[in-house]
């Protein structure tokens, strides 16, 4: 009887733990948003791939470091474009279907993703080397949004645009994500000395973003913004490490 | 996904069994799980011959980006390049492709224009530092009508139509790249239109030969999978961008959530894979799978593997997708 009560209590404790996790999020980010039209036509930042000692993954799971721009809506009204680096482990548990098809697992690769009213499309952009640093960028050009890496246009989407927010972005993000509240380690590294800060584009000039919101309190994530905006600043996911 | 997290956390608390019970009760099983579907995996990547050389003068590809791992992404063996004796015009190549494609509802034509010359900033921005030959082409894929995508709030049916159009255009772009290369017509450096676009990039293998089953064998297999997972075929088009790419829409009376949960397993059976040496072999160059019930479409998954690395999914429930959703999304409380 006593053992049974202990078991029930343990289950209740575990469910409470799960409840906390459910109410939390697996994303960590800084963002700049507006409820009115803006002149924000792009966002970019240097993003450094984590070294081998700065990442660990348990299948099935994924991690992301990226920048993205949105129309300011969510759910079925959302339109968003993101560009960054993705680390994943899990056979055919690939995000959005098969984005990692044909690459080894675990795999780290560059990717672009569109959110088109809740329809998600992922584009594989090639394998990623450890510790490389690249300027990841999404920018509106001639009315459409495109992704770039180090200034190279990733023309995976030919007509991605929206009318909300005057056709510009109402949300700009520097973003880290973990897929399933699992054990793992990932350091999302932005900016850095001599690198490109987290910046917004007004159609003519890029300028460093200072007016950010966040980061939220997210399960497993620890932000380090001591060197924001022009030093290296990080979001680190670390669970069971 | 969040059920997985439930399991992960419960496992940490030593309570995996309790969580596992929750999973099975959350997802009612299909009616005929006893139906056995043979794996029918494609030949292992270890059987592939080395990736052949393709002359850049005829099959130009933009170089690997700086920092990108210099590995060609292969999902099937590639045929060795053997140029045609007679040069064919790009228009003829495009006409033949669309004639065999198998769905004339959306894509009307393909128009060619010269590729922008590799000068100035364009060399870096468009061509990743490469220099395509002077006779290189860009293709525009023209659709028959205005896409419903332009709607501010697309209905599920419109979302499904949009996804089909984009997927078909992606298939056509990838096939056109291979067709122009293998016929020695002219290099295709980029294609766009119908919500899809691509660059001819070295990372994506040329001229892959997928081990498709026969059309009759695939139809029988779909029927078998349908019996196992409780769906019937609403429509099935076996498109032929180069080889077979099934466009399959099914109906079910099963609970929506339970069916969405089974979609990855269904996809594994529709397009079996083999993996070895950090490579994966696929059976088809593309696959589109959508499901509907009496209320209309409620989920789809698709990918295109020739000349691109595109994959996508949609669900009528923003909190319940077949696969993990990467990136910005509506925050949902976990169910189950």
């Amino acid at each position: 009887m006593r053992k049974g009560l202990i078991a029930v209590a343990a289950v209740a404790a575990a469910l409470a733990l799960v409840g906390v996790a459910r109410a939390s999020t697996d994303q960590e980010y800084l963002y700049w948003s507006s409820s009115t039209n803006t002149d924000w036509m792009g966002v970019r930042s240097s993003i450094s791939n984590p070294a081998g000692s700065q990442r660990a993954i348990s299948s099935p799971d994924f991690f992301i470091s990226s920048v993205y721009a949105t129309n300011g809506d969510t759910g079925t009204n959302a339109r968003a474009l993101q560009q960054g680096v993705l680390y994943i482990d899990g056979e055919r548990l690939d995000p959005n279907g098969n984005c990692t098809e044909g690459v080894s697992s675990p795999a780290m690769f560059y990717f672009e993703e569109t959110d088109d009213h809740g329809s998600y499309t992922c584009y594989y952009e090639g394998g990623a080397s450890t510790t490389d640093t690249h300027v990841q960028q999404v920018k509106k050009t001639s009315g459409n949004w495109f992704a770039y890496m180090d200034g190279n246009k990733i023309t995976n989407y030919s007509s991605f645009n929206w009318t909300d927010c005057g056709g510009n972005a109402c949300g700009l993000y520097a973003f880290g994500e973990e897929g399933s509240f699992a054990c793992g380690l990932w350091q999302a590294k932005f900016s850095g000395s001599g690198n490109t800060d987290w910046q917004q584009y007004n159609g003519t000039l890029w300028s460093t973003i200072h007016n950010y919101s966040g980061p939220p309190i997210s399960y497993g994530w620890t932000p380090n913004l001591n060197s924001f905006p022009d030093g290296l600043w990080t979001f680190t996911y670390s669970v069971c490490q | 996904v969040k059920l997985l997290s439930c399991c992960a956390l419960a496992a940490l608390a030593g309570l995996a069994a309790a969580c596992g019970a929750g999973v099975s009760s959350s997802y009612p099983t299909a009616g005929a799980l006893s139906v056995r579907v043979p794996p029918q995996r494609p030949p292992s990547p270890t059987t592939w011959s080395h990736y052949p050389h393709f002359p850049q003068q005829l099959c130009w590809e933009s170089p690997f980006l700086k920092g990108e791992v210099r590995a060609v992404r292969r999902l099937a063996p590639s045929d060795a390049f053997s140029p045609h004796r007679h040069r064919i015009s790009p228009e003829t190549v495009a006409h033949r492709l669309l004639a065999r494609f198998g769905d004339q509802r959306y894509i009307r034509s393909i128009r060619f224009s010269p590729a922008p010359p590799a000068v100035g900033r364009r060399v870096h921005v468009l061509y990743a530092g490469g220099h395509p030959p002077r006779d290189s082409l860009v293709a525009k894929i023209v659709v028959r009508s205005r896409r419903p995508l332009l709607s501010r709030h697309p209905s599920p049916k419109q979302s499904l139509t949009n996804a089909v159009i984009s997927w078909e255009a992606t298939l056509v772009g990838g096939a056109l790249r291979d067709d122009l290369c293998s016929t020695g017509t002219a290099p295709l450096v980029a294609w766009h239109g119908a919500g899809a676009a691509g660059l001819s990039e070295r990372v994506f293998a040329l001229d892959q030969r997928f081990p498709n089953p026969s059309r009759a064998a695939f139809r029988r297999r779909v029927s078998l999978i349908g019996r196992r997972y409780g769906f019937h075929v609403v429509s099935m088009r076996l498109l032929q961008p180069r080889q077979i790419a099934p466009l399959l829409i099914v109906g079910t009376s099963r609970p929506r959530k339970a069916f969405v949960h089974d979609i990855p397993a269904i996809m594994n059976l529709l397009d079996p894979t083999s993996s070895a040496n950090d490579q994966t072999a696929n059976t088809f160059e593309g696959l589109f799978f959508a499901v509907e019930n009496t209320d209309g479409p409620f989920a789809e998954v698709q990918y295109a593997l020739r000349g691109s690395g595109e994959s996508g999914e949609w669900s009528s429930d923003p909190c319940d997708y077949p696969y993990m959703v990467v990136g910005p999304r509506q925050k949902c409380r976990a169910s189950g």
Side-chain angles (χ1 to χ4, degrees):
Chain A
M1 181 68 179
R2 188 181 174 85
K3 281 183 181 173
L5 284 173
I6 291 171
V8 169
V11 169
L15 290 177
L17 181 64
V18 170
V20 169
R22 283 180 185 170
S24 184
T25 171
D26 51 359
Q27 304 170 348
E28 189 74 342
Y29 47 86
L30 298 186
Y31 68 101
W32 192 20
S33 66
S34 170
S35 56
T36 58
N37 290 359
T38 70
D39 65 352
W40 304 343
M41 299 184 201
V43 61
R44 72 180 182 182
S45 176
S46 284
I47 295 179
S48 300
N49 304 338
S53 60
Q54 295 166 333
R55 59 188 162 91
I57 193 166
S58 50
S59 177
D61 204 1
F62 69 81
F63 293 101
I64 285 176
S65 306
S66 71
V67 294
Y68 74 85
T70 81
N71 67 347
D73 278 328
T74 57
T76 55
N77 295 329
R79 301 207 89 191
L81 178 64
Q82 74 167 321
Q83 167 70 29
V85 63
L86 173 59
Y87 185 47
I88 187 163
D89 193 2
E91 187 181 357
R92 301 241 41 198
L93 279 162
D94 308 340
N96 305 145
N98 283 50
C99 199
T100 64
E101 200 62 80
V103 297
S104 59
S105 186
M108 187 163 68
F109 61 94
Y110 303 107
F111 81 108
E112 171 190 354
E113 191 201 48
T114 57
D115 173 359
D116 182 1
H117 300 101
S119 180
Y120 293 90
T121 306
C122 182
Y123 301 92
Y124 175 85
E125 293 175 358
S129 305
T130 297
T131 70
D132 266 3
T133 298
H134 298 282
V135 179
Q136 309 287 3
Q137 168 184 315
V138 298
K139 192 177 90 170
K140 186 177 155 190
T141 304
S142 303
N144 289 310
W145 286 84
F146 295 97
Y148 299 77
M149 189 163 87
D150 295 330
N152 296 123
K153 196 174 192 178
I154 312 291
T155 52
N156 279 325
Y157 218 91
S158 61
S159 56
F160 196 73
N161 55 51
W162 53 76
T163 55
D164 321 74
C165 201
N168 297 328
C170 265
L172 303 176
Y173 289 72
F175 187 73
E177 182 178 17
E178 185 270 344
S180 54
F181 298 120
C183 294
L185 174 66
W186 179 257
Q187 194 163 69
K189 302 192 286 188
F190 297 88
S191 186
S193 179
N195 292 333
T196 302
D197 300 343
W198 182 41
Q199 296 181 326
Q200 65 96 11
Y201 183 64
N202 66 5
T204 309
L205 295 170
W206 289 96
S207 55
T208 298
I209 298 172
H210 296 277
N211 304 325
Y212 66 86
S213 299
I217 298 170
S218 301
Y219 175 78
W221 286 97
T222 304
N224 183 343
L225 301 176
N226 292 340
S227 300
F228 184 91
D230 49 4
L232 183 71
W233 47 278
T234 61
F235 306 140
T236 302
Y237 180 90
S238 180
V239 172
C240 330
Q241 298 302 303
Chain B
V1 172
K2 298 312 171 199
L3 279 170
L4 292 171
S5 63
C6 156
C7 289
L9 288 169
L12 289 177
L15 293 165
C19 184
V23 171
S24 60
S25 63
S26 301
Y27 294 119
T29 54
L33 281 179
S34 57
V35 174
R36 187 178 169 278
V37 182
Q40 290 185 351
R41 297 188 184 282
S44 164
T46 56
T47 65
W48 299 349
S49 52
H50 286 296
Y51 186 64
H53 170 74
F54 292 92
Q56 293 296 293
Q57 203 59 30
L58 296 171
C59 309
W60 185 83
E61 306 152 286
S62 69
F64 291 109
L65 297 176
K66 176 179 147 284
E68 195 176 72
V69 174
R70 293 172 176 269
V72 176
R73 185 198 204 210
R74 305 177 71 189
L75 298 130
S78 290
D79 287 341
F81 179 78
S82 63
H84 281 216
R85 243 178 276 168
H86 305 291
R87 196 178 168 108
I88 308 170
S89 75
E91 289 74 18
T92 302
V93 171
H95 178 78
R96 289 178 181 175
L97 195 167
L98 294 182
R100 70 168 183 261
F101 186 60
D103 189 355
Q104 300 187 336
R105 292 175 297 172
Y106 306 120
I107 296 175
R108 185 174 64 192
S109 61
I110 298 170
R111 293 182 193 150
F112 293 98
S113 58
V119 293
R121 286 188 64 241
R122 208 179 276 147
V123 176
H124 175 69
V125 175
L126 282 187
Y127 300 128
H131 289 77
R134 287 186 179 182
D135 63 344
S136 297
L137 299 171
V138 171
K140 179 172 175 57
I141 299 164
V142 183
V143 287
R144 291 193 182 280
S145 58
R146 213 172 142 82
R147 302 174 63 220
L149 177 66
L150 302 177
S151 163
R152 173 75 171 75
H153 302 288
S155 66
K157 203 167 180 179
Q158 286 175 322
S159 290
L160 179 62
T161 303
N162 282 331
V164 171
I165 294 171
S166 290
W167 176 72
E168 289 194 357
T170 303
L171 291 178
V172 165
L176 189 62
R177 174 201 189 215
D178 277 2
D179 281 357
L180 290 170
C181 164
S182 63
T183 55
T185 303
L188 181 70
V189 301
W191 56 93
H192 62 94
L199 276 177
S200 180
E201 296 175 78
R202 194 155 300 170
V203 68
F204 298 119
L206 284 159
D207 228 355
Q208 296 181 96
R209 181 67 49 190
F210 290 84
N212 295 167
S214 71
R215 289 168 181 262
F218 183 69
R219 289 181 193 279
R220 285 195 300 274
R221 187 170 177 82
V222 169
S223 173
L224 201 58
I225 298 168
R227 280 172 52 207
R228 178 179 169 93
Y229 285 100
F231 67 75
H232 61 275
V233 174
V234 173
S235 71
M236 175 157 54
R237 291 169 186 263
L238 301 182
L239 305 185
Q240 195 174 350
R242 291 203 102 199
Q243 297 175 265
I244 293 175
L247 164 50
L248 178 59
I249 298 176
V250 306
T252 187
S253 56
R254 290 181 57 204
R256 193 197 62 77
K257 196 176 186 66
F259 196 91
V260 167
H261 177 255
D262 282 342
I263 286 177
I266 293 169
M267 294 293 281
N268 284 348
L269 291 172
L270 289 172
D271 182 11
T273 60
S274 301
S275 294
N277 297 346
D278 292 342
Q279 287 185 304
T280 299
N282 275 69
T283 304
F284 294 108
E285 65 187 84
L287 178 60
F288 190 105
F289 180 82
V291 57
E292 62 184 38
N293 59 18
T294 51
D295 295 329
F298 64 82
E300 61 90 350
V301 175
Q302 49 79 19
Y303 52 83
L305 305 176
R306 186 184 292 285
S308 72
E310 180 267 354
S311 63
E313 63 180 331
W314 166 83
S315 171
S316 61
D317 180 349
C319 295
D320 196 17
Y321 281 79
Y323 294 91
M324 294 192 284
V325 170
V326 173
R329 62 180 181 272
Q330 184 171 312
K331 302 296 181 298
C332 300
R333 289 185 68 83
S335 58

